[in-house]
C-alpha cells in the first residue's frame, strides 16, 4: 500500500508522530487509497517554523515575480486536470465531471491571483498639509494557517492558499482528513511550479490539528472553511488571541420559484442545486420555497426527475450523484429523515441508504425530498450536508422572502422569476452573501467575493479582490517634504 508524506520546507517528510491513517474510497470501501500521516504537534511546529523562516525572504520577492509562480501552478493544474480529477473523485466521491470543475476553479483562481500581483492596489490621497504625500500599501502578514473541508478538495484551498502566497505570505495547509491525497497533489503542483522551500507546507492529519494551527503563536492569520460548530470554536480562540480568522461556515440556502418562472429551467436548477455534489456544498439548495400557485405541479415534476438520477461511483461517466463522504454522514442523513417524519413533514422521494448491487459497497443515500415543511421544523433550519431537500409553500413573494430569511444562515440564495421588479426586490431583501437570479444557489466564480452573512461567516469574503483584505495588512505612509514641522489638525486650521 502506498504511504504518503507531509510536505515541509520543500521536502517530503515522514510525520514525527510516526502515525498514519487509512484513506478510503467512499464509493467502494474495499478500495483503500493509501496511508496518510496522522501528524502531531511536533509536525505542525516544524511546518510553522519552516513557513516563518521562508517568510523573511518571500515577502521581499516582487509581487509580479510571485505571480509568475502562481501562474505556473495554474498551468500545471491545467496540464494535470484529468488525472487530478480522478484522484479527487476516488477519495471524495463526486462524479468526475464535477471534480474537473473543482480543478478548473483552482486554475481560474491561480490566473486571477497571479494577475492581481500586478495590481494589489493601495490608495494615494492628497494631504491636508502642503508639501506632504499620503500613500497606503497592502503588506503581507506572515504565516497563514489554512483549514478546509472535504467537499471542494482543490478549489476551496486554492481560494485561500494562492492569494495568500501571491500577497507575500507563507502557508501551512491542513486539508480535511477525508481528502489528504488532494492536499498532497496541491503540494506537488506548487513544488513543480518552483515555489521556494517553506513558502507552502502541507501537514496531514485529523481535526485536532486545526486547533494546533490556530493556537500557534507564529500563525498570524487563519482561513477556515468548515462547519459552523467548529468555525465558531476556532473564532473564539482567535478572539482571545487577537488573531484574524476568516470563517466560511454552513448554509441553509433557499431557492424561490415564482409562478411566472420558466419551470423547466427552475427544475434543472433545483436538481443541480440540491443533489449536485450529493448536497455536500455549503452553497447547496436545501430549501425549495414554492409559490402556492405552482406548488403541487412543481413537486410532481421534481419528484419524477429526482427519481431518474443515477447513483454510483463517480468514475463511471453515466453517474449523476456520488456517495456521501463517510458512514457518519450516512447516519446524519438517516437521522434527519427520522426527525423530518417525526416533525410531520411528508417524505415524497428517497429517504434511505441506496444498497442495490455495487452501491452496497459505498456510502450512498437516495436523493430525498420532504414536502409541507414549515419554518418551525429542524428540517427547515439545520444544515444537513447531504442529498435532502425540504420544500416549503409560500403565499406571496414577501412571504417567500420572509421564509428565506427565517434561518440563522445567510450564504447563498436564488429566485426564479421573469418579473424584473420581483427579482430586484429579492436582491434587496434576501439576507445572504450571494443571490442568484434564474440560476441555482451554486456556481460561484473565482473572481467574485464569496461568503455569507449571519451564522455563515464573520464578515470576510474569499474570492475576488476581497480575499486580499484577509491576507494583507495596510501600511499607511506620510512623507513630509516641507522641511519644517507641520502639525496635522493644528497648523492647517
Ligand atoms: C463550498 O461549498 O464550500 O458555488 C464552496 C459553488 C462552488 C463553491 C462551493 N463554486 O457551489
Amino acid at each position: 500500500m502506498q504511504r504518503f508524506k507531509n510536505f515541509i520546507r520543500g521536502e517530503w517528510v515522514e510525520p514525527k508522530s510516526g502515525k498514519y491513517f487509512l484513506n478510503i474510497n467512499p464509493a467502494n470501501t474495499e478500495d483503500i487509497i493509501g496511508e496518510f500521516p496522522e501528524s502531531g504537534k511536533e509536525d505542525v511546529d516544524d511546518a510553522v517554523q519552516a513557513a516563518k523562516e521562508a517568510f523573511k525572504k518571500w515577502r521581499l520577492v516582487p509581487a509580479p515575480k510571485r505571480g509568475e509562480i502562481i501562474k505556473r501552478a495554474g498551468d500545471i493544474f491545467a496540464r494535470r486536470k484529468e488525472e487530478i480529477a480522478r484522484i479527487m473523485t476516488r477519495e471524495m466521491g463526486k462524479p468526475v465531471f464535477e471534480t474537473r470543475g473543482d480543478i478548473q476553479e483552482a486554475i481560474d483562481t491561480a490566473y486571477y491571483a497571479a494577475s492581481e500581483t500586478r495590481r494589489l492596489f493601495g490608495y494615494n490621497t492628497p494631504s491636508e498639509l502642503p508639501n506632504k504625500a499620503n500613500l497606503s500599501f497592502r503588506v503581507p502578514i506572515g504565516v497563514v494557517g489554512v483549514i478546509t473541508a472535504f467537499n471542494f478538495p482543490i478549489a476551496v484551498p486554492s481560494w485561500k492558499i494562492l492569494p495568500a502566497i501571491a500577497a507575500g505570505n507563507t502557508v501551512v495547509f491542513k486539508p480535511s482528513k477525508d481528502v489528504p491525497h488532494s492536499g498532497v497533489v496541491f503540494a506537488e503542483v506548487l513544488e513543480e511550479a518552483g515555489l521556494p522551500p517553506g513558502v507552502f507546507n502541507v501537514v496531514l492529519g485529523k481535526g485536532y490539528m486545526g486547533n494546533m494551527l490556530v493556537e500557534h503563536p507564529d500563525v498570524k492569520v487563519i482561513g477556515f472553511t468548515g462547519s459552523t460548530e467548529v468555525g465558531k470554536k476556532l473564532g473564539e480562540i482567535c478572539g482571545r488571541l487577537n488573531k484574524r480568522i476568516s470563517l466560511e461556515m454552513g448554509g441553509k440556502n433557499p431557492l424561490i420559484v415564482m409562478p411566472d418562472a420558466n419551470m423547466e429551467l427552475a427544475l434543472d436548477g433545483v436538481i443541480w442545486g440540491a443533489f449536485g455534489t450529493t448536497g455536500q456544498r455549503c452553497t447547496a439548495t436545501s430549501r425549495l420555497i414554492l409559490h402556492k400557485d405552482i406548488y403541487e405541479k412543481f413537486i410532481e415534476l421534481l419528484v419524477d426527475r429526482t427519481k431518474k438520477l443515477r447513483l454510483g461511483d463517480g468514475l463511471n461517466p453515466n453517474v449523476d450523484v456520488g456517495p456521501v463522504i463517510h458512514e457518519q454522514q450516512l447516519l446524519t442523513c438517516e437521522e434527519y429523515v427520522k426527525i423530518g417524519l417525526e416533525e410531520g413533514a411528508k417524505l415524497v422521494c428517497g429517504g434511505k441508504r441506496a444498497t442495490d448491487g455495487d452501491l452496497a459497497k459505498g456510502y450512498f443515500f437516495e436523493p430525498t425530498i420532504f414536502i409541507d415543511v414549515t419554518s418551525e421544523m429542524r428540517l427547515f433550519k439545520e444544515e444537513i450536508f447531504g442529498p435532502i431537500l425540504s420544500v416549503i409553500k409560500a403565499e406571496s413573494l414577501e412571504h417567500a422572502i420572509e421564509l428565506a430569511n427565517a434561518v440563522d444562515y445567510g450564504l447563498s440564495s436564488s429566485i426564479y422569476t421573469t418579473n424584473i421588479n420581483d427579482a430586484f426586490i429579492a436582491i434587496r431583501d434576501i439576507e445572504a452573501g450571494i443571490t442568484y437570479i434564474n440560476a441555482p444557489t451554486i456556481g460561484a466564480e473565482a473572481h467574485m467575493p464569496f461568503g455569507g452573512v449571519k451564522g455563515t461567516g464573520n464578515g470576510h469574503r474569499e474570492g475576488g479582490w476581497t480575499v486580499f483584505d484577509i491576507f494583507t495588512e495596510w501600511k499607511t505612509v506620510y512623507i513630509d517634504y516641507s522641511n519644517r514641522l507641520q502639525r496635522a489638525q493644528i497648523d492647517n486650521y
Side-chain angles (χ1 to χ4, degrees), residues 323-368:
V324 296
I325 190 69
H326 42 45
E327 175 76 23
Q328 188 54 45
Q329 190 54 40
L330 270 184
L331 293 172
T332 303
C333 291
E334 286 179 332
E335 178 68 15
Y336 273 97
V337 168
K338 202 165 135 250
I339 291 169
L341 291 171
E342 278 166 14
E343 286 178 320
K346 200 165 146 206
L347 182 65
V348 291
C349 185
K352 54 184 195 322
R353 292 178 189 226
T355 50
D356 279 357
D358 279 350
L359 297 183
K361 289 188 191 164
Y363 304 125
F364 290 94
F365 200 82
E366 293 175 351
T368 298

Side-chain angles (χ1 to χ4, degrees), residues 104-144:
Q104 189 56 46
E105 207 161 325
I107 298 167
D108 298 343
T109 302
Y111 294 159
Y112 179 71
S115 72
E116 240 349 280
T117 58
R118 285 196 179 265
R119 285 184 292 266
L120 288 176
F121 291 136
Y123 302 93
N124 302 331
T125 71
S127 168
E128 63 188 44
L129 287 160
N131 296 328
K132 192 177 169 202
N134 293 356
L135 320 174
S136 64
F137 300 91
R138 284 184 185 277
V139 293
I141 305 177
V143 180
V144 172

Side-chain angles (χ1 to χ4, degrees), residues 105 151-152 156 159 225 280-283 436 441-444 450:
E105 207 161 325
N151 60 339
F152 277 82
V156 169
W159 293 355
T225 295
Q280 301 173 114
R281 292 194 188 212
C282 53
T283 53
Y436 290 88
T441 55
I442 68 183
F450 180 93

Side-chain angles (χ1 to χ4, degrees), residues 99-311:
T99 49
R100 284 186 199 116
D102 192 307
I103 296 155
Q104 189 56 46
E105 207 161 325
I107 298 167
D108 298 343
T109 302
Y111 294 159
Y112 179 71
S115 72
E116 240 349 280
T117 58
R118 285 196 179 265
R119 285 184 292 266
L120 288 176
F121 291 136
Y123 302 93
N124 302 331
T125 71
S127 168
E128 63 188 44
L129 287 160
N131 296 328
K132 192 177 169 202
N134 293 356
L135 320 174
S136 64
F137 300 91
R138 284 184 185 277
V139 293
I141 305 177
V143 180
V144 172
V146 171
I147 305 165
T148 49
F150 71 86
N151 60 339
F152 277 82
I154 297 279
V156 169
S158 81
W159 293 355
K160 304 169 201 288
I161 292 164
L162 301 179
I165 289 174
N169 304 285
T170 56
V171 169
V172 177
F173 173 36
K174 181 219 134 1
S176 154
K177 70 165 187 358
D178 300 311
V179 291
H181 199 179
S182 299
V184 167
V185 165
F186 216 113
E188 286 170 3
V189 169
L190 287 179
E191 182 185 29
E192 188 188 336
L195 203 64
V199 174
F200 178 66
N201 308 275
V202 178
V203 197
L204 303 168
K206 300 205 174 165
Y208 55 83
M209 283 172 52
N211 281 56
M212 290 177 188
L213 267 180
V214 168
E215 281 168 8
H216 199 297
D218 289 328
V219 175
K220 301 298 179 195
V221 187
I222 302 286
F224 171 85
T225 295
S227 72
T228 300
E229 191 195 348
V230 173
K232 277 189 174 166
K233 281 188 195 141
L234 298 182
E236 278 175 27
I237 299 172
C238 288
R240 181 159 44 75
L241 299 177
N242 190 25
K243 197 175 280 198
R244 185 183 298 176
I245 183 166
S246 158
L247 295 170
E248 293 293 349
M249 302 181 286
K252 192 72 187 177
N253 311 291
L255 185 155
I256 299 171
V257 185
M258 296 298 287
D260 54 66
N262 175 336
M263 292 301 148
E264 274 304 309
L265 185 69
L267 271 172
D268 285 344
V270 174
I271 298 276
W272 174 227
F275 304 120
T277 327
T278 325
Q280 301 173 114
R281 292 194 188 212
C282 53
T283 53
T285 302
S286 45
R287 292 181 299 143
L288 171 60
I289 302 175
L290 294 176
H291 190 279
K292 64 176 185 330
D293 293 354
I294 48 142
Y295 190 75
E296 273 85 26
K297 183 72 194 151
F298 196 92
I299 290 168
E300 196 188 311
L301 296 170
L302 176 65
V303 169
D304 192 46
R305 286 275 301 271
T306 304
K307 285 191 170 147
K308 294 197 178 109
L309 290 171
R310 292 159 302 186
L311 266 63

